[in-house]
Each structure stands twice: as structure tokens, then as C-alpha cells.
Amino acid sequence: MTSDGNAIREKLKKLDEENVSIVLFGQPGSGKSSLINAICGYQAAPVGVETDTTREPLLVDHGDATFIDLPGYGTQTFPWKDFLEQFHLLVYDLFLCVFSDKLHQGDTELFRQLTAHGKPCIFVRNKTDLIYEEGMSLEESEEAIRNDVAAQLGREDFTLVFVCSRQDAPAGLAELNDAIMAKMPAARREKYILTAEARTREQLDAKREAARSYVRRSCAYAAYNGVNPIIGVDAAVDLLILYQMYGCIREAFGITPEVVHSSRKVSLGHKAMILGGMSKEGIKVIIKTLGRKFAARSFLKAVPVVGQAASAFLGYQLVRQAGQAYIDACYDLARERLLEELDAQREK
């Protein structure tokens, strides 16, 4: 393996291993684990684990996102004034302050410390199905909660989302997803969009744009591989680039073989393309359908300077073509599923 080939492999590995980190903090019983499960769409975190009695955070991996459920604070073991440093919180991307009753002093103080360091933080009022104030509508009760948070913080510029993370009656998760996408640091936003479940058409369209950006990065690696001087090695790296790119696109849109086979509207050509991209042998077939351009690229390198430039450009264009076609196929399938889910929700 050449140094160029190794460099590309390392870049791809690093890109694949980078996770978005979202920290949840709040008082015991606020439903942090249930909220993680609601966001993920399955039971990713054990419910009822009392992190306030442990010395370690609970880490939950979901695709390219890691959720960190912090132990309880404001105790002798974890006084809130030292909490930031004890758990090295400034290395994480975004924070959710989860509460289901009144905010505590520790909640607001930790929020102040985080925002003072430029860390994005969202307040999440969980268990909205239990909000009840005699003589007040739900909207009036939510406004009262918002006013209470503002009074405790002494400021109006904060983000508050109301959710219900019950498995049988979820609510507010699409709004929370929008808030996370808006607050996530720009350098990490694309990664989160690719990982998060799309709950609205707008979120699905945002996922498609993020996937296109990912493809553009893969194209850049293919162009770099175009100047790889060893014939055969460059082809292996091309295959690796496409294999990882296709896998990322499928995961972003939640596409599995079962989903492909259950589709009633997506074309047979798109189904065949998606399934073909699930194995390296299938990708070899896809490469052949693009013509002999991949093979021809290797021989362009024999022409000094001009040939290498042409090879790099051709690699960029071929991966871009393959990636865009794969996105279109996966997007059509994901859109079909989303529309069916939205129709089912409206019928309830």
C-alpha cells in the first residue's frame, strides 16, 4: 500500500469514527433515558437507571451520535460548582437540560456555566402529557413554564422545547430535532443531520443536502486517489471510498434490505442499485455500469502532469455521479416511508 493510499484510508477511518456528542443533564426522574430512547426510535438506553447514584455517565451510541446521560449533581459527591470540570464537559458538542417539574438551582447554574463557555444548550420540558394547571389551557401552562424559566435565568434568549417521550404517545420530537439542528455547532451539524431520524419532509430534505455534502468530500478523496501511482491499489481505494460512502448514505436514510423489499413504489432500478451498494461485489458491478472510465483512469497517469490531473478529475466526477444516484434512490425510498408514517399519524 502506498503512502497516498494509506493517507486516504486514514482520512476515511477518521471521518467514519467521528461522533456527535449530546449531553443530557437534569434532576433524577426527569426522563432523560426515555428521551434518549424517543430520539433514537428504539430502546437504546436502559430506563430507570439512576445515574445520580453512580460515579460515571451513561453513554449511549446511536449511529454517529453519542448521548451522555450525566450522573445527578448538586450532591456531596458531585457539587454543581465543580461539575463542569469533573466531567470535562467542554469537550462535548451540545447539551439538553431535561426537566419535568420545576428547574433546580443546579440546572440553571450549569446552564450559565455552559453558555459562558459558548456551549449550545436547550431546555427540554419532558412529560408534557402530565402538564396540568387548573383553569389553564395547555398553551397557557406552557407559557407559564416558559416565563418561570426566564425568571430563573434572568434572560429571555434561551431555547425551550416541550416533549413527551412516552413510547405510546410521543410528542414534540420533530421540534426538538429542529432545535438541535439549529443549535449544533456548524462543524458538527451535518453529522447530526445524517444520524438523526427525519420526522418531517423538511428534515428529510436537510438529510439529502447533508448526504450530498458527504458525497462531495468522498469525491475529493477520489480525486486525491487519482494521482496514486500504483495501478491496482488505486482501484482498491476507489472501492473502499464507494463502500463507505454507500454505507453512510443508507444509514442516513434508514435503509435496510427489509425496507427495500417492502417498498411498493420505488422503481426496480433504484432497488437494485441500493441492494448492489450493500456489498463490495455489488459495488464492483455498479462500477462496471459506469463504463470503463474507472479502468481508463489508471492509464491516464502515464501521461505526466496532464494525465494525473485528468485522472483526478475523472475520479471526482465518477464518485460524484455514483453518490448522487445512490442518494436519489435512498431518498425516494425514505420519502415513501415518511409519507406513509405521516398519513398513519393523521389517521389516529
Side-chain angles (χ1 to χ4, degrees):
M1 177 64 64
T2 68
S3 58
D4 284 345
N6 285 328
I8 296 172
R9 288 176 184 269
E10 286 301 315
K11 288 176 182 291
L12 291 171
K13 182 180 179 182
K14 183 178 180 181
L15 181 65
D16 193 46
E17 291 178 347
E18 288 178 349
N19 270 26
V20 176
S21 54
I22 299 176
V23 174
L24 293 87
F25 66 94
Q27 299 304 310
S30 59
K32 298 191 294 295
S33 295
S34 296
L35 181 59
I36 292 174
N37 291 334
I39 294 173
C40 294
Y42 61 94
Q43 187 162 339
V47 179
V49 175
E50 297 189 13
T51 54
D52 59 302
T53 64
T54 69
R55 292 180 175 273
E56 297 296 333
L58 173 67
L59 272 64
V60 177
D61 287 324
H62 170 61
D64 286 331
T66 298
F67 296 93
I68 302 100
D69 185 356
L70 294 177
Y73 46 90
T75 65
Q76 185 174 358
T77 306
F78 301 121
W80 59 261
K81 64 179 181 179
D82 300 325
F83 202 70
L84 197 76
E85 185 174 345
Q86 276 184 295
F87 289 95
H88 310 287
L89 297 187
L90 298 183
V91 304
Y92 300 120
D93 297 315
L94 183 139
F95 297 79
L96 303 179
C97 176
V98 185
F99 65 107
S100 58
D101 196 358
K102 295 288 185 180
L103 279 177
H104 288 234
Q105 180 187 5
D107 299 328
T108 56
E109 182 59 33
L110 188 53
F111 170 85
R112 291 191 181 98
Q113 291 187 33
L114 290 168
T115 53
H117 286 87
K119 288 295 178 178
C121 185
I122 299 169
F123 286 99
V124 182
R125 176 43 162 98
N126 200 4
K127 304 182 181 180
T128 54
D129 56 318
L130 301 180
I131 293 178
Y132 174 75
E133 292 289 342
E134 188 173 356
M136 298 176 64
S137 66
L138 177 61
E139 291 74 16
E140 291 170 336
S141 297
E142 290 182 349
E143 186 61 25
I145 292 171
R146 186 180 300 279
N147 291 336
D148 181 63
V149 174
Q152 292 198 50
L153 294 176
R155 55 193 291 182
E156 298 286 343
D157 57 332
F158 60 89
T159 300
L160 171 62
V161 181
F162 293 89
V163 306
C164 176
S165 53
R166 280 176 48 186
Q167 186 176 5
D168 60 336
L173 298 176
E175 291 78 9
L176 177 58
N177 196 25
D178 283 337
I180 293 174
M181 287 192 291
K183 288 285 229 177
M184 184 66 67
R188 313 294 289 143
R189 187 174 298 126
E190 177 186 303
K191 189 70 131 178
Y192 175 75
I193 293 173
L194 288 172
T195 297
E197 180 181 353
R199 302 176 186 275
T200 65
R201 296 183 189 183
E202 293 77 13
Q203 290 174 5
L204 186 62
D205 289 342
K207 189 179 289 289
R208 179 172 58 179
E209 290 306 310
R212 287 172 175 170
S213 178
Y214 184 93
V215 166
R216 286 193 291 272
R217 286 205 303 276
S218 297
C219 292
Y221 297 144
Y224 182 56
N225 186 44
V227 297
N228 195 326
I230 308 259
I231 295 175
V233 170
D234 59 342
V237 174
D238 284 336
L239 182 62
L240 176 64
I241 291 171
L242 290 178
Y243 185 72
Q244 180 167 311
M245 181 178 71
Y246 285 160
C248 174
I249 293 170
R250 281 196 312 277
E251 290 175 10
F253 288 103
I255 306 300
T256 64
E258 294 74 22
V259 170
V260 177
H261 292 306
S262 65
S263 172
R264 294 170 294 180
K265 298 179 181 179
V266 172
S267 70
L268 292 177
H270 275 184
K271 288 183 178 181
M273 182 188 302
I274 294 171
L275 292 172
M278 292 182 178
S279 69
K280 291 185 178 179
E281 289 304 314
I283 293 174
K284 289 179 182 179
V285 174
I286 292 174
I287 289 176
K288 289 181 180 179
T289 65
L290 295 174
R292 299 179 179 178
K293 295 179 180 179
F294 268 107
R297 190 183 60 165
S298 295
F299 297 100
L300 285 172
K301 299 172 187 177
V303 182
V305 184
V306 175
Q308 287 189 338
S311 174
F313 178 75
L314 185 55
Y316 184 98
Q317 291 296 332
L318 289 172
V319 171
R320 180 177 178 275
Q321 177 184 344
Q324 296 290 5
Y326 209 72
I327 288 173
D328 290 342
C330 290
Y331 175 84
D332 287 347
L333 185 51
R335 185 174 183 274
E336 177 189 347
R337 293 181 65 210
L338 177 62
L339 292 178
E340 290 176 351
E341 291 172 3
L342 293 177
D343 286 342
Q345 291 174 13
R346 282 192 289 267
E347 292 174 0
K348 289 183 179 180

